[in-house]
Amino acid sequence: MKNYVKAVLYGYPLLKTVSEDYEQHIQNKAVLSVRTDKSAFELAVELAGEICEKRELEWLKACVEAALDTLTDVEKTLIAVRYFGKRRKIKKLPLADGERSKWEFAAWSERKYFRFQNRLGEKVGFLLNRLGLTQEIFENKFAKTDIFDKIYRFVCEGKDQKIAQRAQRWLRE
C-alpha cells in the first residue's frame, strides 16, 4: 500500500470535525483581527487561504467516505481496527456476505491477515485514485498541512508497522 493512502486513512478520524474546527478557527481569527499587526489585505489573504484549505480537507473527507462506502462490512472492520483505533468500540465482528455467518479472524494465519490487509489497502488506494486523490495531489495539497505532516512522516519512516501488528493480535484474541 502506498504511504499516502496509509496517511489518509490514519488522518481520516481527524477529518470528521475539520469543517466545524476550521469554521471556528476562521471566525476567531476574523474577530481577533483588531489585535494583529497585519494589514486588512494581508489578513484577508490569510483567511482566504484557510478557507481554501478547509474546502480541500472537506473534499478529502468526502473522497475517503465515498471509498469506504464501497467496502464490505468485514473490510470496514479491518480498516477501522487497523487505521482508526476502533478496537475498544468494536464488540462483535460484522456478519460476512454470503453463506458464512461470521469471519473467523482467530483462525487466520498472520500471513493471511497481512495479505488481506495489503489487498484491502490496494483496493482503497485504487478507489481513492479513481475519486481523484493521487499521490501527487496528496503531496501538493495535504502532506504539509497541520493534520497530515506528522502522520505522513510517521508512515514514510515505517513506524506504523507496530500498529499493524497490534491490530492483527487484537483480531486473533
Side-chain angles (χ1 to χ4, degrees):
M1 178 189 309
K2 295 185 179 179
N3 288 336
Y4 84 95
V5 175
K6 290 181 184 180
V8 167
L9 290 174
Y10 280 125
Y12 173 70
L14 301 173
L15 294 175
K16 289 186 175 186
T17 62
V18 74
S19 185
E20 297 85 24
D21 294 345
Y22 261 78
E23 183 101 17
Q24 189 64 44
H25 169 72
I26 291 167
Q27 285 179 0
N28 289 344
K29 199 169 212 176
V31 168
L32 297 174
S33 65
V34 296
R35 296 184 183 174
T36 185
D37 295 336
K38 296 178 183 178
S39 70
F41 178 76
E42 291 172 327
L43 186 63
V45 168
E46 189 176 318
L47 290 174
E50 291 188 13
I51 290 169
C52 289
E53 189 173 306
K54 172 188 172 227
R55 288 182 181 161
E56 288 172 347
L57 289 170
E58 288 172 339
W59 173 81
L60 178 62
K61 177 185 167 197
C63 284
V64 174
E65 287 174 349
L68 293 177
D69 284 345
T70 64
L71 301 179
T72 67
D73 287 342
V74 172
E75 291 170 332
K76 287 177 187 177
T77 299
L78 288 173
I79 291 286
V81 169
R82 168 75 166 84
Y83 295 99
F84 308 155
K86 300 283 186 185
R87 290 184 279 280
R88 291 183 192 142
K89 293 182 180 179
I90 298 173
K91 303 290 184 203
K92 292 184 176 180
L93 297 174
L95 296 178
D97 298 333
E99 300 162 6
R100 298 181 209 172
S101 62
K102 191 178 278 190
W103 280 73
E104 296 293 330
F105 290 110
W108 283 16
S109 67
E110 188 171 329
R111 185 175 178 187
K112 181 176 180 177
Y113 169 77
F114 283 108
R115 268 190 280 150
F116 191 87
Q117 276 287 11
N118 287 336
R119 282 194 306 264
L120 181 56
E122 295 300 322
K123 180 178 180 178
V124 171
F126 172 78
L127 293 169
L128 289 174
N129 197 308
R130 196 174 74 192
L131 292 165
L133 180 65
T134 63
Q135 183 166 350
E136 182 181 342
I137 289 173
F138 176 81
E139 288 177 354
N140 290 336
K141 291 187 177 188
F142 304 108
K144 298 297 179 197
T145 62
D146 291 341
I147 293 174
F148 288 105
D149 184 37
K150 289 180 183 176
I151 295 172
Y152 193 47
R153 278 189 282 125
F154 180 80
V155 169
C156 287
E157 293 169 3
K159 295 180 178 177
D160 66 316
Q161 294 307 311
K162 289 183 181 179
I163 295 171
Q165 292 168 348
R166 274 194 303 247
Q168 192 261 347
R169 280 195 304 271
W170 179 83
L171 285 170
R172 295 185 76 183
E173 292 175 353

